[in-house]
Amino acid sequence: MNDKEKAEQAPVSAEAAPVKKKKTQSPGVLALQKVVNDVYQAARDAKKEGKLVGWSSSKFPCEIAETFDLNVVYPENQAAGIAAHHDDTRLCTIAENEGYDADICSYARINLAYAMGNETTNEGRRMPMPDFVLCCNNICNCMTKWYENIARIHNIPLIMVDIPYSNHPEVDDDFVAYVRGQFDIAIKQLEELTGKNFDEEKFKRVCGYANRTANAWMKVCDYLQYKPSPMSGFDLFNHMADVVTARGKQTTAEAFELLASELEENLKTGKSTLPFPEQHRIMMEGIPPWPHLRELFKPLKEHGLNVTAVVYAPAFAFRFNDVEGMARSYAVAPNSVCLEKGVDWRSQLCKDNKVDGALVHYNRACKAWSGYMPEMQRRWQNELGIPVVGYDGDQADARNFNAAQYETRVQALVEAMEEADRKKESGK
């Protein structure tokens, strides 16, 4: 690799397990990396000490597990890290050889291969095998069968919460009551599993930390509204791991508050974490293809494109103070809300963050996300009047991405945004 190619390398996402870089990281970034590393290390230590360790879906309420002092790790987060470190194809192939179809979620295939005892080369994200699993299907219904299979492989308890798709923009009280009832049952199951009573006062404290984390996280996201931005939108992908794995911890809240203060200073001094001049601002729709972060970043850098809108990031900013509020909050997720609400989220995000165009990832791994994206894209594209292009890929299976196609699509987006600028300047 020559010096120019090295200079063009993008940072590897923290959700995807950070690697050593020559660039000096800020105190806020280092604090966030430590939070995630500590979560994994705590789980490994707990397993050695004979304590319970669980695996959890990303949107099962971490506040419940935190209240019970449970050590929990997240297969989706781990799969992203494995993919970013290019161990995805090997594990996906193992799962496929065991009968899991290549068309199911690549996160699931990677994790199921791992659950069957196939170790990953990404040592930093090695997880101890689970004693129980926590599943909430508000991300997608694939989670249900995925976690059933984990439970079957290890013959362990599955604590399951079903959150149906909502056909209405707002969830009604009956919907919330259905979800609340399941959370109550999940809490009782964990009381039986741990031999502890659910501590209401501790739950409130955990909610307080989670709310601080969510507020600070949203403040970080909101810095992308400034033009030019004091940060790179890729930074949001870098810090997703903390929001997923440790929302309810005081250290996470403090780390995000520190990061927000650093961005505030960037704003005052005119600095930015974006490593190139900002020429255009775009929305990046969907989960990025983790095995190809460098290929993803390279043409953005070449054309001065900053990602200032990511609907995937603020979707984890839950805020509530009691179990009722928790049920109402977790009933709303990108894949469990109606088309109209999904369009509204994206349109408002693009308006707030002043985007010039959008890049849509048609993610082969995530049918729930990508299945209705053409219609969603058509609606918010018409509402905003901005150019939009799409590219094919996969969040964690490197075999389903074509770098040449992606570069061509980015070039087309740049040309369309430049043409739109020329029309504005001429008053047409």
Side-chain angles (χ1 to χ4, degrees):
M1 183 181 292
N2 60 39
D3 291 339
K4 182 176 182 292
E5 289 172 328
K6 290 178 181 178
E8 289 174 338
Q9 285 187 337
V12 175
S13 161
E15 176 170 357
V19 295
K20 292 182 179 179
K21 295 174 282 188
K22 292 182 180 179
K23 179 182 175 182
T24 301
Q25 299 285 17
S26 74
V29 171
L30 291 173
L32 287 166
Q33 290 178 358
K34 185 177 186 303
V35 166
V36 178
N37 291 335
D38 286 350
V39 166
Y40 280 85
Q41 189 58 52
R44 290 190 285 265
D45 291 344
K47 193 70 173 182
K48 291 177 182 177
E49 296 168 8
K51 297 178 182 177
L52 293 173
V53 174
W55 288 4
S56 176
S57 64
S58 63
K59 285 202 170 183
F60 187 98
C62 65
E63 296 83 1
I64 295 177
E66 191 72 26
T67 300
F68 280 103
D69 293 320
L70 288 167
N71 289 281
V72 175
V73 285
Y74 293 80
E76 293 153 87
N77 170 255
Q78 186 210 34
I82 287 172
H85 283 77
H86 310 296
D87 195 22
D88 51 288
T89 301
R90 181 180 67 87
L91 291 174
C92 282
T93 301
I94 289 171
E96 291 157 18
N97 289 340
E98 290 294 325
Y100 293 101
D101 197 283
D103 282 331
I104 69 173
C105 172
S106 49
Y107 281 178
R109 280 177 282 142
I110 288 170
N111 176 250
L112 288 167
Y114 185 85
M116 287 184 282
N118 300 283
E119 194 57 270
T120 175
T121 58
N122 182 2
E123 294 184 13
R125 290 298 176 264
R126 288 180 179 174
M127 305 188 308
M129 290 301 163
D131 301 298
F132 62 94
V133 281
L134 307 173
C135 184
C136 190
N137 65 357
N138 52 359
I139 286 287
C140 71
N141 276 327
C142 173
M143 305 297 298
T144 306
K145 291 300 178 184
W146 172 3
Y147 277 65
E148 282 180 356
N149 274 271
I150 298 171
R152 176 184 56 79
I153 290 168
H154 289 280
N155 192 27
I156 56 176
L158 164 63
I159 297 175
M160 178 72 205
V161 174
D162 171 53
I163 297 184
Y165 176 84
S166 174
N167 288 307
H168 305 286
E170 303 299 332
V171 295
D172 59 29
D173 290 342
D174 288 341
F175 193 105
V176 173
Y178 172 73
V179 176
R180 166 66 194 270
Q182 292 182 84
F183 282 158
D184 288 339
I185 293 171
I187 288 170
K188 288 190 177 300
Q189 289 175 302
L190 285 171
E191 286 180 329
E192 294 172 0
L193 183 68
T194 63
K196 297 180 180 178
N197 292 325
F198 184 67
D199 187 335
E200 293 279 357
E201 290 303 314
K202 184 171 183 179
F203 177 71
K204 290 178 182 178
R205 290 196 300 274
V206 170
C207 288
Y209 294 138
N211 290 343
R212 277 180 62 187
T213 295
N215 289 335
W217 171 239
M218 288 307 299
K219 187 174 181 179
V220 167
C221 292
D222 286 347
Y223 278 104
L224 289 170
Q225 295 182 15
Y226 291 96
K227 192 174 182 178
S229 171
M231 66 184 292
S232 164
F234 255 72
D235 292 351
L236 298 187
F237 297 130
N238 292 349
H239 307 314
M240 280 296 299
D242 295 87
V243 182
V244 171
T245 65
R247 280 192 309 278
K249 296 183 183 294
Q250 182 177 352
T251 51
T252 313
E254 292 170 346
F256 274 120
E257 288 164 354
L258 178 58
L259 180 63
S261 69
E262 292 171 358
L263 293 173
E264 182 66 27
E265 186 62 25
N266 280 3
L267 192 63
K268 293 176 181 177
T269 59
K271 295 180 181 179
S272 177
T273 64
L274 186 68
F276 53 82
E278 180 181 289
Q279 301 297 320
H280 289 286
R281 301 159 64 86
I282 66 169
M283 177 171 81
M284 184 167 281
E285 169 64 47
I287 302 170
W290 300 116
H292 298 282
L293 287 176
R294 290 186 173 90
E295 294 97 325
L296 201 71
F297 189 76
K298 181 181 175 182
L300 303 184
K301 179 180 180 180
E302 289 174 350
H303 296 290
L305 306 186
N306 189 14
V307 177
T308 63
V310 180
V311 74
Y312 181 52
F316 287 86
F318 299 110
R319 282 164 281 197
F320 50 84
N321 297 304
D322 52 32
V323 177
E324 183 75 13
M326 181 171 66
R328 192 171 295 276
S329 295
Y330 278 87
V332 179
N335 285 344
S336 64
V337 300
C338 66
L339 179 65
E340 289 74 19
K341 194 168 186 72
V343 171
D344 287 345
W345 278 350
R346 289 159 175 83
S347 295
Q348 192 59 51
L349 189 63
C350 286
K351 291 174 184 176
D352 290 343
N353 292 13
K354 307 170 185 64
V355 307
D356 307 309
L359 190 58
V360 178
H361 178 201
Y362 282 90
N363 183 356
R364 181 184 178 90
C366 194
K367 308 298 190 293
W369 195 295
S370 297
Y372 68 171
M373 189 51 64
E375 175 61 17
M376 184 176 292
Q377 174 186 326
R378 183 187 69 81
R379 293 194 188 188
W380 51 256
Q381 183 176 4
N382 289 343
E383 180 178 339
L384 297 169
I386 60 173
V388 180
V389 301
Y391 68 95
D392 301 315
D394 191 296
Q395 63 199 28
D397 188 339
R399 297 170 293 180
N400 295 323
F401 178 84
N402 185 299
Q405 182 213 54
Y406 170 75
E407 290 181 11
T408 301
R409 301 296 169 82
V410 173
Q411 179 64 44
L413 178 61
V414 171
E415 291 173 1
M417 290 189 293
E418 289 175 347
E419 177 63 22
D421 287 344
R422 285 192 289 270
K423 288 182 178 180
K424 288 180 184 177
E425 291 173 1
S426 65
K428 293 181 180 181

